[in-house]
């Protein structure tokens, strides 16, 4: 299945305001994708509508979020069941500081309905670290039957390699996200202990519609399902 499992909607302040559910799902379909996940910063409040929009366009959908840990490391979390995603949303909301979003500075945090109408604004700033370190975050993701993926591991900001310098061997992650397939060798050269059980993703991290991936990276849903089963 051609996928893009790291897309930001207009709920993320840094994403374009036209990143609405139908625009995202429509663009993904035009690009030939079959499986998508929207992963907003520290919030799953757009997930229910986003999944419904994806379904309308004939796409498979995985519930997702991009968590920023206390170390400012970005970790992607994926859930199969809406109930788990919503429970994890409660976990997250309890760990965000009540800092108000400055719209002028960070941008809007729009919530859309299934007609792409803006029906709300998230008031709490989503571009902040949750009050949980990376180990606690991984544990919480797994307790909610989710998969934990280290986001954009070789990026220059908010990746595990910029924040910690390396991937600790004790970290309980399920997947690693890289920008290009060739980055696999670089990561493995630094961390030869990484198990073959870990899955690798190449996503767009799109903040605007044009950046959503073309149909070039494929994943076998069975592989993800097999990992998921570990946490059920
Ligand atoms: Zn990120
Ligand atoms: Zn992102």
């Amino acid at each position: 299945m051609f996928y893009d499992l790291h897309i930001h909607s207009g709920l993320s302040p840094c994403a374009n305001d036209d990143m609405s559910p139908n625009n995202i799902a429509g663009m993904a379909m035009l690009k030939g994708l079959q499986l998508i996940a929207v992963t907003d910063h520290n919030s799953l409040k757009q997930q229910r509508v986003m999944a419904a929009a994806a379904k309308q366009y004939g796409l498979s959908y995985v519930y997702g979020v991009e968590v920023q840990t206390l170390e400012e490391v970005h970790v992607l979390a994926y859930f199969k069941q809406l109930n788990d995603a919503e429970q994890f949303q409660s976990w997250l909301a309890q760990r965000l500081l009540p800092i108000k979003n400055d719209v002028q500075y960070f941008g809007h945090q729009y919530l859309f309905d299934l007609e792409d109408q803006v029906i709300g604004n998230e008031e709490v700033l989503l571009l902040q670290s949750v009050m949980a370190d990376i180990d606690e975050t991984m544990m919480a993701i797994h307790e909610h039957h989710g998969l934990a993926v280290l986001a954009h591991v070789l990026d220059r900001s908010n990746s595990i390699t910029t924040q910690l310098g390396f991937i600790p061997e004790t970290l309980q992650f399920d997947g690693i996200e890289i920008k290009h397939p060739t980055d696999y060798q670089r990561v493995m050269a630094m961390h030869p202990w990484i198990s073959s059980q870990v899955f690798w993703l190449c996503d767009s991290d799109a903040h605007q519609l044009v950046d959503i991936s073309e149909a070039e990276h494929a994943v076998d849903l069975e592989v993800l399902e097999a990992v998921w089963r570990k946490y059920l």
Side-chain angles (χ1 to χ4, degrees), residues 2-86:
F2 290 114
Y3 71 88
D4 189 349
L5 295 177
H6 189 165
I7 301 169
H8 290 269
S9 84
L11 175 56
S12 296
C14 39
N16 277 12
D17 291 344
D18 65 356
M19 293 296 270
S20 59
N22 287 276
N23 282 349
I24 291 171
M27 182 61 89
M29 186 202 69
L30 286 174
K31 295 220 177 194
L33 301 181
Q34 288 139 344
L35 170 69
I36 62 166
V38 160
T39 51
D40 287 308
H41 294 291
N42 291 334
S43 176
L44 294 115
K45 287 192 184 173
Q46 195 59 69
Q47 292 300 306
R48 184 191 286 265
V49 170
M50 198 53 237
K55 195 174 168 200
Q56 284 184 349
Y57 285 84
L59 304 169
S60 294
Y61 191 80
V62 169
Y63 302 104
V65 63
E66 182 169 27
V67 183
Q68 182 172 312
T69 70
L70 212 48
E71 301 90 344
E72 299 190 4
V73 175
H74 285 186
V75 176
L76 296 159
Y78 297 109
F79 304 92
K80 239 181 107 154
Q81 307 293 342
L82 181 61
N83 185 44
D84 290 325
E86 289 183 338

Side-chain angles (χ1 to χ4, degrees), residues 78-82 84 141-147 174 224-232:
Y78 297 109
F79 304 92
K80 239 181 107 154
Q81 307 293 342
L82 181 61
D84 290 325
I141 293 169
H142 292 149
E143 278 168 4
H144 291 82
H145 314 124
L147 301 182
D174 306 295
L224 294 188
E225 302 256 352
V227 191
W228 250 313
R229 275 197 287 274
K230 284 202 310 201
Y231 303 111
L232 294 178

Side-chain angles (χ1 to χ4, degrees), residues 122-194:
E122 174 57 61
E123 298 267 313
V124 175
L125 175 64
L126 296 175
L127 281 184
Q128 59 166 300
S129 295
V130 296
M131 292 296 113
D133 67 25
I134 191 162
D135 288 309
E136 290 168 322
T137 302
M138 300 269 167
M139 206 181 295
I141 293 169
H142 292 149
E143 278 168 4
H144 291 82
H145 314 124
L147 301 182
V149 175
L150 299 171
H152 43 71
V153 286
L154 296 176
D155 260 24
R156 263 171 257 145
S157 58
N158 299 113
S159 72
I160 188 140
T161 46
T162 53
Q163 302 311 111
L164 303 187
F166 62 99
I167 304 173
E169 210 165 330
T170 52
L171 206 57
Q172 299 294 309
F173 57 93
D174 306 295
I176 293 180
E177 185 194 51
I178 46 180
K179 281 283 159 64
H180 305 287
T182 50
D183 292 340
Y184 170 84
Q185 272 83 14
R186 282 179 62 201
V187 178
M188 286 308 286
M190 290 160 74
H191 312 90
W193 51 265
I194 290 175

